[in-house]
Amino acid sequence: MIFFDMRDMTGKVQCVALPSRVEVIEKAKIIRPEWVLKITGLVNKRPVKNVKAGVLNGDVELEVTGIEVLAEAEPLPFDMSLDGYNLELTTELDNRALVLRYPKIQAVFKVQETIIDSFREFMKQNMFFEFQAPSITPAVAEGERKFSKLIILVKKHS
């Protein structure tokens, strides 16, 4: 019997591959974290002793009847399974899309979204309208400017 967690945008669910399904067991042995899979199965209530109270989907598990590997992934640059993380700033910034998976980081952006939406709605109610003008940004990050050499060839008259 093999247990593993599947994640999508709504949360996680525990999957179980039963020994009676040999093909599923063989595929479950090779899957790795972050692979994109198509899982088919039956949603079953967990036994009372195995219910994870207070956890989304903690009362159900997916009995896997089929696994299809849609895409394999390289190992992640750090362990995503930890509840918190202790990354150096450069690692965090280089892997911002991964860091945004952490609930605490998501919560910061959700608060920011709520504030911006409230401000925007207040302005609309007071007869303001939103205008978005294009901005001119430097060619490279951190405010550096790119300078090109201009070579002028001048013909000397003798």
Side-chain angles (χ1 to χ4, degrees):
M1 193 176 311
I2 297 176
F3 293 93
F4 57 95
D5 287 338
M6 287 295 298
R7 180 189 76 240
D8 68 5
M9 64 184 186
T10 62
K12 291 182 183 179
V13 66
Q14 181 175 294
C15 299
V16 58
L18 298 175
S20 60
R21 300 188 187 270
V22 177
E23 185 179 314
V24 171
I25 287 286
E26 291 307 311
K27 285 214 175 173
K29 287 179 181 178
I30 65 165
I31 62 174
R32 296 290 172 256
E34 304 304 317
W35 283 20
V36 180
L37 307 173
K38 178 181 176 182
I39 301 287
T40 53
L42 305 168
V43 177
N44 298 321
K45 288 269 187 202
R46 284 187 179 185
V48 176
K49 64 180 181 179
N50 294 342
V51 170
K52 295 180 180 177
V55 175
L56 181 65
N57 299 324
D59 60 337
V60 296
E61 64 185 11
L62 183 66
E63 179 185 330
V64 180
T65 59
I67 300 175
E68 181 183 347
V69 177
L70 301 177
E72 296 181 10
E74 294 294 322
L76 296 176
F78 53 89
D79 187 3
M80 290 291 299
S81 65
L82 303 173
D83 287 334
Y85 67 93
N86 188 15
L87 300 176
E88 291 185 21
L89 183 59
T90 54
T91 305
E92 182 176 337
L93 294 175
D94 288 345
N95 299 283
R96 198 61 168 160
L98 295 175
V99 173
L100 290 174
R101 290 185 189 173
Y102 287 106
K104 287 181 181 180
I105 303 297
Q106 288 177 1
V108 170
F109 285 98
K110 286 178 183 176
V111 168
Q112 182 183 17
E113 177 189 34
T114 302
I115 292 169
I116 290 170
D117 286 348
S118 298
F119 177 75
R120 184 173 281 130
E121 188 58 35
F122 173 82
M123 297 302 278
K124 285 181 182 179
Q125 289 175 357
N126 287 284
M127 305 301 289
F128 287 86
F129 67 93
E130 187 171 340
F131 172 76
Q132 295 184 12
S135 61
I136 299 171
T137 58
V140 292
E142 283 130 17
E144 295 177 356
R145 300 286 187 246
K146 236 182 189 180
F147 293 99
S148 300
K149 285 185 179 179
L150 178 60
I151 301 172
I152 301 174
L153 300 174
V154 178
K155 186 176 182 181
K156 285 187 176 182
H157 293 285
S158 19

PDB file of all heavy atoms in Angstrom, residues 82 84-88 102:
ATOM      1  N   LEU A  82       8.116  21.815   4.297  1.00  0.00           N
ATOM      2  CA  LEU A  82       8.201  22.423   5.620  1.00  0.00           C
ATOM      3  C   LEU A  82       7.075  23.432   5.818  1.00  0.00           C
ATOM      4  O   LEU A  82       6.671  24.114   4.888  1.00  0.00           O
ATOM      5  CB  LEU A  82       9.550  23.130   5.793  1.00  0.00           C
ATOM      6  CG  LEU A  82      10.790  22.255   5.587  1.00  0.00           C
ATOM      7  CD1 LEU A  82      12.039  23.115   5.620  1.00  0.00           C
ATOM      8  CD2 LEU A  82      10.853  21.183   6.646  1.00  0.00           C
ATOM      9  N   GLY A  84       7.180  26.162   7.685  1.00  0.00           N
ATOM     10  CA  GLY A  84       7.789  27.473   7.539  1.00  0.00           C
ATOM     11  C   GLY A  84       9.064  27.304   6.758  1.00  0.00           C
ATOM     12  O   GLY A  84       9.495  26.198   6.485  1.00  0.00           O
ATOM     13  N   TYR A  85       9.647  28.387   6.404  1.00  0.00           N
ATOM     14  CA  TYR A  85      10.891  28.238   5.667  1.00  0.00           C
ATOM     15  C   TYR A  85      11.882  29.256   6.191  1.00  0.00           C
ATOM     16  O   TYR A  85      11.516  30.258   6.793  1.00  0.00           O
ATOM     17  CB  TYR A  85      10.674  28.406   4.163  1.00  0.00           C
ATOM     18  CG  TYR A  85      10.283  29.803   3.747  1.00  0.00           C
ATOM     19  CD1 TYR A  85      11.240  30.723   3.346  1.00  0.00           C
ATOM     20  CD2 TYR A  85       8.959  30.195   3.776  1.00  0.00           C
ATOM     21  CE1 TYR A  85      10.883  31.997   2.981  1.00  0.00           C
ATOM     22  CE2 TYR A  85       8.604  31.481   3.415  1.00  0.00           C
ATOM     23  CZ  TYR A  85       9.567  32.369   3.015  1.00  0.00           C
ATOM     24  OH  TYR A  85       9.209  33.633   2.658  1.00  0.00           O
ATOM     25  N   ASN A  86      13.136  28.959   5.971  1.00  0.00           N
ATOM     26  CA  ASN A  86      14.211  29.822   6.420  1.00  0.00           C
ATOM     27  C   ASN A  86      15.193  29.941   5.263  1.00  0.00           C
ATOM     28  O   ASN A  86      16.245  29.329   5.265  1.00  0.00           O
ATOM     29  CB  ASN A  86      14.872  29.228   7.669  1.00  0.00           C
ATOM     30  CG  ASN A  86      15.872  30.179   8.278  1.00  0.00           C
ATOM     31  OD1 ASN A  86      15.883  31.364   7.953  1.00  0.00           O
ATOM     32  ND2 ASN A  86      16.727  29.675   9.139  1.00  0.00           N
ATOM     33  N   LEU A  87      14.801  30.740   4.268  1.00  0.00           N
ATOM     34  CA  LEU A  87      15.614  30.878   3.072  1.00  0.00           C
ATOM     35  C   LEU A  87      16.425  32.153   3.110  1.00  0.00           C
ATOM     36  O   LEU A  87      16.000  33.157   3.679  1.00  0.00           O
ATOM     37  CB  LEU A  87      14.711  30.917   1.828  1.00  0.00           C
ATOM     38  CG  LEU A  87      13.826  29.721   1.573  1.00  0.00           C
ATOM     39  CD1 LEU A  87      12.942  29.983   0.374  1.00  0.00           C
ATOM     40  CD2 LEU A  87      14.662  28.484   1.353  1.00  0.00           C
ATOM     41  N   GLU A  88      17.570  32.106   2.483  1.00  0.00           N
ATOM     42  CA  GLU A  88      18.329  33.337   2.288  1.00  0.00           C
ATOM     43  C   GLU A  88      17.564  34.188   1.287  1.00  0.00           C
ATOM     44  O   GLU A  88      16.846  33.680   0.422  1.00  0.00           O
ATOM     45  CB  GLU A  88      19.726  33.022   1.762  1.00  0.00           C
ATOM     46  CG  GLU A  88      20.597  32.327   2.773  1.00  0.00           C
ATOM     47  CD  GLU A  88      22.012  32.136   2.261  1.00  0.00           C
ATOM     48  OE1 GLU A  88      22.424  32.861   1.327  1.00  0.00           O
ATOM     49  OE2 GLU A  88      22.702  31.273   2.805  1.00  0.00           O
ATOM     50  N   TYR A 102       3.558  29.247   0.004  1.00  0.00           N
ATOM     51  CA  TYR A 102       3.414  29.201   1.453  1.00  0.00           C
ATOM     52  C   TYR A 102       2.221  30.042   1.896  1.00  0.00           C
ATOM     53  O   TYR A 102       2.068  31.194   1.486  1.00  0.00           O
ATOM     54  CB  TYR A 102       4.684  29.718   2.145  1.00  0.00           C
ATOM     55  CG  TYR A 102       5.833  28.759   2.068  1.00  0.00           C
ATOM     56  CD1 TYR A 102       6.896  28.993   1.214  1.00  0.00           C
ATOM     57  CD2 TYR A 102       5.854  27.603   2.839  1.00  0.00           C
ATOM     58  CE1 TYR A 102       7.958  28.103   1.131  1.00  0.00           C
ATOM     59  CE2 TYR A 102       6.906  26.716   2.776  1.00  0.00           C
ATOM     60  CZ  TYR A 102       7.955  26.965   1.927  1.00  0.00           C
ATOM     61  OH  TYR A 102       8.998  26.083   1.850  1.00  0.00           O
TER      62      TYR A 102
END
